[in-house]
């Protein structure tokens, strides 16, 4: 998976609790992305980063925040998890603008 | 609905060819991709095609692009049981900060022995 790890790989949490997912890369790629995957929707972009401390919203950003304090780590936070955020979350990286994106193994999140 | 559309399901017999189709909407897309996802795994890049090409072949995979109809297809020759997976097409939409991938909903390919 192109030097991309995600943690945790599985998580069960309760509605209203905060959750942070971590994406770590060893490729020194500038761009990092968070997607969620739901049946019938393919993957939808939540947030992305184009450099340290540089982030922007994607298609489905409501209820999520991100942070990137160093090149290798991109964190996705659900401030107060809801059942609609039950999903599989994928991180991706790309070397530069317009380059191919490579995906991590995913984090399966269940919000009860 | 999806901006990028794919049929949900395809079933073929081992050894036959599989053709997975995709339609997209953004005529300015620079790259179009095919990703493969096996159960419980992430997305694996299979192949991609640049928008100024109309065909790309890579071993058993052939990608055809019809820009006029905004239609993309992936042909897998001599399909094997190991090809059973979900296949996603994706188009790129560039903005000022990076390339945004827009995915189709995925086509589940089932290969029967």
């Amino acid at each position: 998976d192109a030097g991309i790890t995600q943690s945790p790989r599985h998580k069960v949490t309760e509605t209203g609790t905060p959750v942070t997912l971590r994406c770590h890369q060893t490729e020194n790629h500038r761009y990092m992305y968070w997607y969620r995957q739901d049946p019938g929707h393919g993957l939808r972009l939540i947030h992305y980063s184009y450099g340290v401390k540089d982030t922007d919203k994607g298609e489905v950003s409501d209820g999520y925040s991100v942070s990137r304090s160093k090149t290798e780590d991109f964190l996705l936070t659900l401030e107060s998890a809801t059942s609609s955020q039950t999903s599989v979350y994928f991180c991706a990286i790309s070397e530069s603008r317009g380059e191919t994106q490579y995906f991590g193994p995913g984090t399966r999140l269940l919000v009860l | 609905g999806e901006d990028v559309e794919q049929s949900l399901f395809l079933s073929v017999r081992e050894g036959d060819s599989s053709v997975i189709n995709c339609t997209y909407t953004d005529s300015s897309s620079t790259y179009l991709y095919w990703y493969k996802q096996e159960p419980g795994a992430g997305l694996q890049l299979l192949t991609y095609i640049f928008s100024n090409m109309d065909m790309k072949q890579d071993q058993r995979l052939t990608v055809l692009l019809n820009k006029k109809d905004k239609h993309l297809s992936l042909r897998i020759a001599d399909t094997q049981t190991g090809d059973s997976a979900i296949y996603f097409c994706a188009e790129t939409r560039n903005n000022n900060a990076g390339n945004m991938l827009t995915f189709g909903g995925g086509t589940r390919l089932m290969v029967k022995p």
Side-chain angles (χ1 to χ4, degrees):
Chain A
D1 290 318
I4 310 168
T5 56
Q6 293 184 229
S7 58
R9 292 294 313 279
H10 303 272
K11 186 169 182 67
V12 181
T13 192
E14 294 185 347
T15 298
T17 60
V19 176
T20 295
L21 308 182
R22 179 180 182 237
C23 177
H24 179 77
Q25 58 141 332
T26 58
E27 306 297 319
N28 201 37
H29 283 3
R30 180 179 171 193
Y31 291 87
M32 299 185 76
Y33 311 81
W34 276 109
Y35 292 88
R36 60 178 289 173
Q37 183 181 27
D38 304 291
H41 287 279
L43 277 78
R44 291 179 292 176
L45 183 66
I46 304 170
H47 282 280
Y48 63 95
S49 169
Y50 46 98
V52 173
K53 298 192 189 306
D54 292 323
T55 66
D56 205 350
K57 295 179 180 180
E59 179 188 355
V60 290
S61 59
D62 287 348
Y64 301 95
S65 61
V66 289
S67 65
R68 190 158 177 214
S69 59
K70 44 187 178 176
T71 300
E72 57 265 36
D73 289 325
F74 192 31
L75 304 181
L76 176 70
T77 297
L78 291 64
E79 300 289 347
S80 177
T82 66
S83 58
S84 65
Q85 293 176 311
T86 292
S87 188
V88 182
Y89 291 86
F90 288 98
C91 173
I93 65 173
S94 65
E95 188 167 3
S96 61
R97 174 185 173 180
E99 293 294 320
T100 299
Q101 292 184 25
Y102 296 93
F103 284 79
T107 294
R108 190 173 294 273
L109 176 66
L110 174 61
V111 183
L112 300 174
Chain B
E2 299 289 340
D3 291 337
V4 180
E5 296 192 351
Q6 303 178 235
S7 53
L8 285 177
F9 188 75
L10 176 65
S11 178
V12 300
R13 293 213 171 270
E14 190 173 20
D16 289 350
S17 293
S18 307
V19 179
I20 302 171
N21 294 301
C22 172
T23 57
Y24 62 98
T25 58
D26 190 344
S27 59
S28 66
S29 292
T30 50
Y31 288 95
L32 295 127
Y33 295 87
W34 284 104
Y35 284 87
K36 176 184 180 182
Q37 185 181 33
E38 296 181 0
L43 273 71
Q44 170 195 354
L45 178 67
L46 272 183
T47 187
Y48 62 91
I49 189 167
F50 191 56
S51 58
N52 69 352
M53 300 168 63
D54 52 19
M55 187 183 89
K56 180 179 179 181
Q57 187 152 3
D58 183 2
Q59 298 182 334
R60 292 191 297 122
L61 305 178
T62 303
V63 179
L64 296 177
L65 175 60
N66 181 330
K67 285 193 71 175
K68 174 176 171 290
D69 295 336
K70 297 190 184 69
H71 183 265
L72 180 73
S73 67
L74 173 69
R75 179 177 182 269
I76 305 173
D78 187 25
T79 312
Q80 303 298 307
T81 54
D83 295 323
S84 293
I86 302 175
Y87 291 81
F88 292 94
C89 66
E91 62 173 344
T92 53
R93 298 176 184 175
N94 287 319
N95 64 14
N96 291 330
N99 66 318
M100 314 281 278
L101 276 180
T102 300
F103 286 84
T107 299
R108 184 178 295 274
L109 174 64
M110 177 180 291
V111 183
K112 299 178 181 177

